[in-house]
Amino acid sequence: MVQHLHPVTGLLLVSIVIPVHASVEGSLGRWREPQQELPLPLYTKPPSFEQGVLDVARMLQNLGLRVLRWSRVPYISAGDSVHAFYTLDNAVFVLEPAR
């Protein structure tokens, strides 16, 4: 993806729920494993939000991107019969190609 960014002025905005739990919701609400996994550490228990941000930032750097800024924002997910909605911790990264 880095090759698609302008080398001087290109910016990329990435939003990701942390801690990362890779799964894909398919049709009829069925969940499945992703076809491609992110190169992130595997944990026996979920890491703190801060550790998750560090891990994602390190992964992005390994992909040739430099983190300019990041922010913690809520991710509001559709609810179910018990809750109208769910909120998750989300990180938004502003990135540029590493130089």
Side-chain angles (χ1 to χ4, degrees):
M1 99 184 83
V2 175
Q3 67 273 17
H4 298 293
L5 295 175
H6 188 279
V8 177
T9 60
L11 295 175
L12 179 64
L13 190 67
V14 171
S15 176
I16 187 167
V17 172
I18 294 181
V20 175
H21 178 74
S23 60
V24 179
E25 185 176 10
S27 61
L28 304 173
R30 293 188 181 133
W31 292 88
R32 64 175 176 81
E33 294 295 316
Q35 292 177 353
Q36 182 178 353
E37 292 204 18
L38 297 174
L40 291 168
L42 298 175
Y43 293 98
T44 55
K45 65 178 188 169
S48 67
F49 179 82
E50 294 77 10
Q51 183 61 53
V53 167
L54 289 172
D55 293 338
V56 170
R58 195 172 298 117
M59 176 197 68
L60 294 167
Q61 289 171 348
N62 290 339
L63 295 173
L65 296 162
R66 184 170 90 89
V67 176
L68 296 176
R69 301 278 189 276
W70 70 270
S71 184
R72 184 179 195 165
V73 297
Y75 176 90
I76 302 172
S77 176
D80 54 24
S81 61
V82 178
H83 296 92
F85 60 91
Y86 291 94
T87 57
L88 304 169
D89 288 322
N90 193 60
V92 177
F93 294 87
V94 179
L95 309 158
E96 69 177 2
R99 297 186 179 109

